[in-house]
Amino acid sequence: MKFSAIAFATVVASSASTASAFTVSPGVVNLSPASTQRTVAFPTTATQPRSSRAFVSSRNVASSSSPTSLNLAGGGGTEALQDYITSLSTTASPLVTKMKNPKLIKLAGVAAVPLSYALGAAMTPSRRLAARAVGGVVAAVTAGGVGKNAVEEDVRRSCPSAIAARLVELGVDGDFVSDGIDRLKEDYGVEEEDFTTMKTEVYSVYLVGMAKNPLAKTAELKELSNLREALSLDNMQVGQAHADAAKTFYRDVTRFTSVEELDDEDHPDRVSLDKMLFLTERAFRQGKETEEAFTFEFSRVAKALGELSMSEALERAKDVARPFYERALASTRSKLESGAVNSDMLRRARVTLGITDDEAKEMHVESFAQEVRSQLGLPDEEDEEDEIDINQDKRVETVAEIEAKMQKMKEEAASKPVEDTSAIKFKDGAFDQLSKLQEVLGLNDEDADYEVAAATERYWRNTALQTLDDAIAGTKDPAKAWGIIQSRQKELFLKDSSMKSMMTSIIMQSLGKPLEKVNTFARVNNAAATYDGLIDAIAAKETCKDVLKEAGWSEFEDFEKACFDPFDKASACGFLTNMDRHNMYQIFFQRSVKVDEEGGKSISDEAKARMKELRGMLGISEEEGENQIRNFFGPELQSVLVAAVEEVTRGNTTDVLLQNMKEKIGSVISNFQLEDEMVRSYAGPLYNRAVEQIASTAPGGIPSKDQVETLASLRELLSIAMEDVYEVHGNTFGAQYKKGIKEALGTTGVIREEFRAPLEDLKSRLGVSDQAAKDTYLEALSERMKPMIEYISNEMERLVLTNDQLAQKRGDDYGEDYFKSGQKASGKLGLGTDGNIMSDIMNLIDFYVENDIVEKSVVGTKKVEKKVPADEEGGEEKTITVEEPVYESAYPITAMGLQCIDEKVAELCYRQFVVSSFTDQSPNAARYEASKATFGGILGLTAEKMEEIGSNIGGMVYDNYITQSMSTKGALDQQDMMFLANIQGKLGISAEKGEQMMLDTQKKIISEEASALLDAGSPTPEQIKAFREKCNSMGLDLETDVGLSKSRLVSMFSMEITPGIDSGDITIESAEQLQEIQESLGLSEEEGEEVIATLIQERANGVLADVVGCMLRGMDAVAVESMEVLVQYAAFVDGDLGFEVEESNANKAYNMFENKDWSGVDEEEVERQKALLKKALGVSA
């Protein structure tokens, strides 16, 4: 760093603001033990003398020291700056050692300012006399042996000291401190970079001083921000200052404090380190650093303070910030009634301290909880120190020791007197106070309610437990008990939402006590005490239910489910093992069975109801309860049922016998209160066994009339409905029913009418249900039907497959003669009908129909018109509209469903049948046609697939027939339309589909005719006209239906009108004719006009050339004839032919035309033609 002598003199002279504190070098403060008053002043403008400063600021600064590990007087930025100034003044300046003349030493000192002023003024007169004066002194000293480097070193020491001194004197928040510090750069002649480094060092010193005082204050954040502004530092410079401060600070700390001691969070030096992290984090955040820059800068500081990780350093910084915010929250609580605090103030505090929303919420909740306890008159909760159990490492050797220890804990808890907490309640106005605090803290109702419940639940539970105990003991009725509980709820501000869960817990605890007591009796088989205890527990449960009924909570409608869940350890029975629960129920069940004097057992309705209640309390399912009853009473029920069944199956069953047996069975059921389901479960197998026994002894497996009656008597005795035994009857007698069906089919395969009644009787005797009988019937018919379908399928394959295809499919070679010829289809309309399998198909249809396999169902109705004859002679016939049902046929068994034919072959079979049905001319044709849908259904084809096949066949028929008819007649006549309509009906084609098929065929034929007409050469206008009119008569659009392009239509228009225009047959008066041709061809008016204009223009150009040529050759008469044609063309465009004719030729031509023979021509027509030619040739008037 280089300084000139005159610059140094200037520095010395301009440091009058700190002159009283200097000894030799400028800016070095002399701190005496006693406090001194320092006055600082600087000018408001650069031109004012030092004696006229804008303001004067005085501050008492004292220097003291104390023996701390950090070697600071008391900590703080200002004290650190004072020590910093002192440290810079402890080393003697080279300038001092060279000043031997006392006067010069005094002159250079602070006390000699007037003398230096005079000396400078004499040597170098100027408005900055003091600086020049000192400059002279410095020059003299330099001449006397003080080198330039010594001056630079002295300035290097003096300028930072001056910066620090100015901060001490004016304070970091002084109004002009920033300007005062910036002026030091000019006063000392320091370069910008060096001056910034000095300011950064001063900031670092100040920061270290703040950190050395372990006591953190929020004002320090503002103080640090003011320091940054006073020193005019940017983010990078602040980051460097903090990094330097961290290194220095950690080095100083670790000189006296070990790393192990710094791990103690309460150690003063550890607190100071955390404070450094806090101040750093806040400074960087307030500087609005980017996240990347913050991470870099803060990690440097964290590393310097003991190689801390980023996350650990941030957490330690947060630990410093939290107590500040906790004090803010405490202040909020204390000032809540005054309205002096609000949520915005807390938000600003969070921003200042860097408290996140999540952290703030946690602290807000804690603060709210403290206020709740305060409003209850309770002390704040304190964290209990973890008590060290000296026996915690001692292992319990046996289960007995564990049980003994638990028993002791229970006894201690039971002997502990119940604390009376009824006086604990919220203060008056507590609700409003808590509501205000909740709003200021921004807590939702859920959080607030939870904290209220957490603080008050214990006191509410005490009241609720005692009240429930009183209700169970009978000293309070349920309504009064609930009133007390609800009143306590309101006193403690508890919401219903939290009350429900707490009430559940209370009830579980209240009902768990008696169950726990009963369990001790049950484990030692004390049946009497167990039974009595469970009776009391049931009564206690009913009392609790009555209490909750007063609350009207729907959640407790299923009380047992809410409070007695065996899989929930917290429920009233959750502490019981599965064995304990079943043991208790077993004892209660056995004690509930009463034995009379004769040894008969019974269960009363009351006992049965209690057992049901107990099952709910012990978490025992209804199924388990039924099993208990089954195991206990099942043998007796089984015994009486077996005896009754055996007696009835012996035969000779009378009404008296049935009555006696019923009474015996009913007595057992009544005495033991047995459920119908249990009785059915025992009676069912006995009946099934009886059915099997009868089937094994019946001739042919078909029960006799007596045996049928026996089974009916058994069903009556055992109260079994016929519907309940259909399955066993079907499994037992189904084979006999199927055999009967096959016998009824006989050789014809059709069940005759006289066999249907016996089959129905057989079904009734066998006890087979209608559905089972139907399934068996269809199964028998399927077996008969399957070979018929397979034969038809094989024959169809022979008709349509070639030798190779059939051999490949079947894997056999059947010989050359056995296959289809391979020739193309022939016959009527080009459809092949080789091979006649129609008789086999009709046999299949007859089999299906006559055996009533088709199922018809009504799916809707339709309205039809019917003619009604006249009521009397001479009257009029009437037409009425009636609704008739619409049936839909279903085919329960199909060829594809039986998997004896694939879909492709099925479609081929249906196609062949359809073709034969409408080509056949025999008497069977009508029968074939009527059976198409039935055959398709038997094959398993859908209605859509059948219509598709019919349409394909129809399309072929339509195509062939229409093509033949139109090729011979040119159009379809009435006879053709009737034939097509007949085909449409035979093939089952809808009217819309038939019309579309006919239209498609016509389009195809006309399109081919158009191609032949236009592609063969130049058709005549007559041919074009005839083709056009033919299409119009058939309703075909030439472009969309026939497929002619726009260019072809234009060409046709041109070819048809050109000869007429040339001959004069088509003139301007022929507009209607032209419009008819244009519209017929599907051209727009603009397109027609464009064609005519183009045609006229081309023709007119040729005629004009002929006129000019004839005039050149002297052929005037021919020229006039050409001009007559030219006039015809001009009439179409009102004479505007767009000619460019030489004036001489135009005039000559016009004169020749004007002078021609006009005899016999109307004068008006003469003038019209002349005017047209004149306009066309461009002859001027």
Side-chain angles (χ1 to χ4, degrees), residues 310-337:
M310 184 78 174
S311 58
E312 183 182 0
L314 286 172
E315 186 59 31
R316 287 171 62 170
K318 292 293 184 184
D319 290 341
V320 178
R322 289 189 185 97
F324 290 117
Y325 195 63
E326 289 173 352
R327 289 196 291 273
L329 292 175
S331 176
T332 298
R333 290 172 50 203
S334 63
K335 300 177 181 178
L336 193 61
E337 293 183 359

Tab-separated table of all heavy atoms in Angstrom, residues 310-337:
chain	number	residue	atom	x	y	z
A	310	MET	N	-24.017	-28.605	8.121
A	310	MET	CA	-24.973	-27.535	7.832
A	310	MET	C	-26.231	-27.697	8.684
A	310	MET	O	-26.728	-26.736	9.279
A	310	MET	CB	-25.322	-27.569	6.339
A	310	MET	CG	-26.232	-26.458	5.875
A	310	MET	SD	-25.321	-24.927	5.674
A	310	MET	CE	-26.600	-23.879	4.945
A	311	SER	N	-26.740	-28.896	8.737
A	311	SER	CA	-27.983	-29.128	9.473
A	311	SER	C	-27.802	-28.894	10.968
A	311	SER	O	-28.658	-28.299	11.625
A	311	SER	CB	-28.487	-30.546	9.218
A	311	SER	OG	-27.512	-31.496	9.601
A	312	GLU	N	-26.671	-29.359	11.518
A	312	GLU	CA	-26.425	-29.165	12.955
A	312	GLU	C	-26.272	-27.694	13.283
A	312	GLU	O	-26.788	-27.209	14.299
A	312	GLU	CB	-25.179	-29.944	13.369
A	312	GLU	CG	-24.883	-29.853	14.868
A	312	GLU	CD	-23.614	-30.588	15.274
A	312	GLU	OE1	-22.957	-31.166	14.377
A	312	GLU	OE2	-23.292	-30.579	16.482
A	313	ALA	N	-25.559	-26.974	12.426
A	313	ALA	CA	-25.354	-25.547	12.669
A	313	ALA	C	-26.672	-24.789	12.629
A	313	ALA	O	-26.936	-23.914	13.466
A	313	ALA	CB	-24.388	-24.984	11.633
A	314	LEU	N	-27.523	-25.120	11.676
A	314	LEU	CA	-28.826	-24.453	11.586
A	314	LEU	C	-29.679	-24.757	12.810
A	314	LEU	O	-30.380	-23.880	13.334
A	314	LEU	CB	-29.550	-24.897	10.314
A	314	LEU	CG	-29.032	-24.315	8.996
A	314	LEU	CD1	-29.718	-24.980	7.817
A	314	LEU	CD2	-29.264	-22.803	8.944
A	315	GLU	N	-29.627	-25.995	13.283
A	315	GLU	CA	-30.409	-26.360	14.448
A	315	GLU	C	-29.923	-25.616	15.693
A	315	GLU	O	-30.743	-25.172	16.512
A	315	GLU	CB	-30.338	-27.871	14.655
A	315	GLU	CG	-31.234	-28.398	15.759
A	315	GLU	CD	-32.705	-28.096	15.526
A	315	GLU	OE1	-33.116	-28.034	14.345
A	315	GLU	OE2	-33.436	-27.906	16.522
A	316	ARG	N	-28.634	-25.475	15.832
A	316	ARG	CA	-28.095	-24.734	16.980
A	316	ARG	C	-28.463	-23.258	16.901
A	316	ARG	O	-28.720	-22.614	17.928
A	316	ARG	CB	-26.586	-24.934	17.062
A	316	ARG	CG	-26.217	-26.337	17.554
A	316	ARG	CD	-24.758	-26.649	17.441
A	316	ARG	NE	-23.896	-25.780	18.235
A	316	ARG	CZ	-22.596	-25.976	18.436
A	316	ARG	NH1	-22.025	-27.053	17.922
A	316	ARG	NH2	-21.891	-25.135	19.153
A	317	ALA	N	-28.520	-22.712	15.687
A	317	ALA	CA	-28.957	-21.328	15.534
A	317	ALA	C	-30.419	-21.180	15.933
A	317	ALA	O	-30.819	-20.198	16.576
A	317	ALA	CB	-28.743	-20.870	14.094
A	318	LYS	N	-31.221	-22.187	15.562
A	318	LYS	CA	-32.631	-22.148	15.926
A	318	LYS	C	-32.806	-22.206	17.438
A	318	LYS	O	-33.713	-21.588	17.991
A	318	LYS	CB	-33.360	-23.338	15.283
A	318	LYS	CG	-33.474	-23.280	13.766
A	318	LYS	CD	-34.360	-22.157	13.317
A	318	LYS	CE	-34.539	-22.195	11.805
A	318	LYS	NZ	-35.324	-21.032	11.323
A	319	ASP	N	-31.939	-22.968	18.119
A	319	ASP	CA	-32.035	-23.077	19.579
A	319	ASP	C	-31.826	-21.727	20.253
A	319	ASP	O	-32.335	-21.494	21.357
A	319	ASP	CB	-31.004	-24.091	20.089
A	319	ASP	CG	-31.363	-25.514	19.691
A	319	ASP	OD1	-32.549	-25.735	19.361
A	319	ASP	OD2	-30.474	-26.388	19.694
A	320	VAL	N	-31.079	-20.861	19.612
A	320	VAL	CA	-30.875	-19.517	20.167
A	320	VAL	C	-32.102	-18.660	19.911
A	320	VAL	O	-32.497	-17.842	20.752
A	320	VAL	CB	-29.619	-18.879	19.544
A	320	VAL	CG1	-29.430	-17.458	20.070
A	320	VAL	CG2	-28.389	-19.715	19.855
A	321	ALA	N	-32.713	-18.840	18.726
A	321	ALA	CA	-33.845	-17.989	18.351
A	321	ALA	C	-35.101	-18.319	19.141
A	321	ALA	O	-35.902	-17.428	19.439
A	321	ALA	CB	-34.104	-18.125	16.850
A	322	ARG	N	-35.273	-19.603	19.473
A	322	ARG	CA	-36.537	-20.020	20.080
A	322	ARG	C	-36.843	-19.315	21.392
A	322	ARG	O	-37.988	-18.905	21.618
A	322	ARG	CB	-36.537	-21.530	20.270
A	322	ARG	CG	-36.646	-22.308	18.961
A	322	ARG	CD	-36.873	-23.790	19.196
A	322	ARG	NE	-36.851	-24.545	17.956
A	322	ARG	CZ	-35.796	-25.198	17.488
A	322	ARG	NH1	-34.658	-25.190	18.186
A	322	ARG	NH2	-35.852	-25.857	16.350
A	323	PRO	N	-35.877	-19.177	22.313
A	323	PRO	CA	-36.201	-18.487	23.577
A	323	PRO	C	-36.719	-17.073	23.364
A	323	PRO	O	-37.582	-16.608	24.122
A	323	PRO	CB	-34.866	-18.489	24.326
A	323	PRO	CG	-34.123	-19.655	23.779
A	323	PRO	CD	-34.506	-19.727	22.346
A	324	PHE	N	-36.210	-16.364	22.345
A	324	PHE	CA	-36.726	-15.023	22.063
A	324	PHE	C	-38.206	-15.079	21.729
A	324	PHE	O	-39.010	-14.277	22.206
A	324	PHE	CB	-35.960	-14.403	20.880
A	324	PHE	CG	-34.528	-14.048	21.206
A	324	PHE	CD1	-33.498	-14.671	20.538
A	324	PHE	CD2	-34.232	-13.109	22.170
A	324	PHE	CE1	-32.186	-14.352	20.828
A	324	PHE	CE2	-32.921	-12.781	22.460
A	324	PHE	CZ	-31.884	-13.410	21.792
A	325	TYR	N	-38.552	-16.044	20.870
A	325	TYR	CA	-39.947	-16.122	20.448
A	325	TYR	C	-40.826	-16.622	21.590
A	325	TYR	O	-41.988	-16.224	21.699
A	325	TYR	CB	-40.075	-17.041	19.229
A	325	TYR	CG	-41.386	-16.888	18.522
A	325	TYR	CD1	-41.748	-15.685	17.930
A	325	TYR	CD2	-42.287	-17.946	18.450
A	325	TYR	CE1	-42.952	-15.538	17.285
A	325	TYR	CE2	-43.505	-17.813	17.798
A	325	TYR	CZ	-43.838	-16.596	17.216
A	325	TYR	OH	-45.032	-16.443	16.575
A	326	GLU	N	-40.250	-17.468	22.438
A	326	GLU	CA	-41.021	-17.907	23.599
A	326	GLU	C	-41.337	-16.723	24.515
A	326	GLU	O	-42.439	-16.631	25.066
A	326	GLU	CB	-40.235	-18.979	24.349
A	326	GLU	CG	-40.163	-20.319	23.611
A	326	GLU	CD	-39.241	-21.308	24.289
A	326	GLU	OE1	-38.535	-20.884	25.254
A	326	GLU	OE2	-39.197	-22.471	23.859
A	327	ARG	N	-40.369	-15.828	24.674
A	327	ARG	CA	-40.628	-14.628	25.490
A	327	ARG	C	-41.674	-13.742	24.813
A	327	ARG	O	-42.511	-13.123	25.485
A	327	ARG	CB	-39.321	-13.858	25.719
A	327	ARG	CG	-38.365	-14.562	26.675
A	327	ARG	CD	-37.282	-13.614	27.185
A	327	ARG	NE	-36.353	-13.232	26.141
A	327	ARG	CZ	-35.269	-13.918	25.812
A	327	ARG	NH1	-34.981	-15.048	26.460
A	327	ARG	NH2	-34.453	-13.500	24.858
A	328	ALA	N	-41.640	-13.691	23.471
A	328	ALA	CA	-42.648	-12.906	22.753
A	328	ALA	C	-44.036	-13.493	22.979
A	328	ALA	O	-45.021	-12.765	23.148
A	328	ALA	CB	-42.315	-12.859	21.265
A	329	LEU	N	-44.106	-14.823	23.004
A	329	LEU	CA	-45.398	-15.472	23.230
A	329	LEU	C	-45.867	-15.243	24.666
A	329	LEU	O	-47.063	-15.049	24.908
A	329	LEU	CB	-45.290	-16.968	22.930
A	329	LEU	CG	-45.073	-17.337	21.452
A	329	LEU	CD1	-44.857	-18.851	21.328
A	329	LEU	CD2	-46.265	-16.905	20.619
A	330	ALA	N	-44.941	-15.291	25.590
A	330	ALA	CA	-45.305	-15.026	26.985
A	330	ALA	C	-45.815	-13.596	27.132
A	330	ALA	O	-46.796	-13.336	27.846
A	330	ALA	CB	-44.091	-15.261	27.890
A	331	SER	N	-45.169	-12.664	26.434
A	331	SER	CA	-45.626	-11.273	26.468
A	331	SER	C	-46.996	-11.139	25.837
A	331	SER	O	-47.840	-10.377	26.302
A	331	SER	CB	-44.611	-10.389	25.735
A	331	SER	OG	-45.064	-9.057	25.658
A	332	THR	N	-47.210	-11.913	24.785
A	332	THR	CA	-48.528	-11.888	24.134
A	332	THR	C	-49.616	-12.314	25.103
A	332	THR	O	-50.688	-11.687	25.175
A	332	THR	CB	-48.512	-12.824	22.912
A	332	THR	OG1	-47.544	-12.355	21.975
A	332	THR	CG2	-49.882	-12.886	22.251
A	333	ARG	N	-49.351	-13.358	25.851
A	333	ARG	CA	-50.339	-13.828	26.815
A	333	ARG	C	-50.620	-12.773	27.887
A	333	ARG	O	-51.780	-12.546	28.263
A	333	ARG	CB	-49.867	-15.114	27.472
A	333	ARG	CG	-49.858	-16.328	26.552
A	333	ARG	CD	-49.192	-17.511	27.218
A	333	ARG	NE	-49.736	-17.751	28.548
A	333	ARG	CZ	-49.096	-18.405	29.521
A	333	ARG	NH1	-47.869	-18.870	29.301
A	333	ARG	NH2	-49.676	-18.590	30.682
A	334	SER	N	-49.581	-12.130	28.351
A	334	SER	CA	-49.751	-11.156	29.441
A	334	SER	C	-50.442	-9.876	28.976
A	334	SER	O	-51.120	-9.220	29.763
A	334	SER	CB	-48.383	-10.826	30.047
A	334	SER	OG	-47.549	-10.207	29.069
A	335	LYS	N	-50.279	-9.540	27.705
A	335	LYS	CA	-50.854	-8.291	27.193
A	335	LYS	C	-52.104	-8.530	26.357
A	335	LYS	O	-52.566	-7.630	25.654
A	335	LYS	CB	-49.822	-7.548	26.340
A	335	LYS	CG	-48.563	-7.175	27.096
A	335	LYS	CD	-47.557	-6.507	26.175
A	335	LYS	CE	-46.269	-6.144	26.907
A	335	LYS	NZ	-45.272	-5.538	25.999
A	336	LEU	N	-52.661	-9.727	26.436
A	336	LEU	CA	-53.763	-10.088	25.549
A	336	LEU	C	-54.979	-9.210	25.782
A	336	LEU	O	-55.628	-8.749	24.833
A	336	LEU	CB	-54.124	-11.561	25.754
A	336	LEU	CG	-55.038	-12.181	24.702
A	336	LEU	CD1	-54.372	-12.138	23.337
A	336	LEU	CD2	-55.369	-13.622	25.072
A	337	GLU	N	-55.294	-8.944	27.056
A	337	GLU	CA	-56.496	-8.176	27.356
A	337	GLU	C	-56.365	-6.732	26.903
A	337	GLU	O	-57.346	-6.084	26.577
A	337	GLU	CB	-56.795	-8.234	28.849
A	337	GLU	CG	-57.198	-9.633	29.338
A	337	GLU	CD	-57.567	-9.630	30.811
A	337	GLU	OE1	-57.486	-8.542	31.423
A	337	GLU	OE2	-57.925	-10.691	31.348
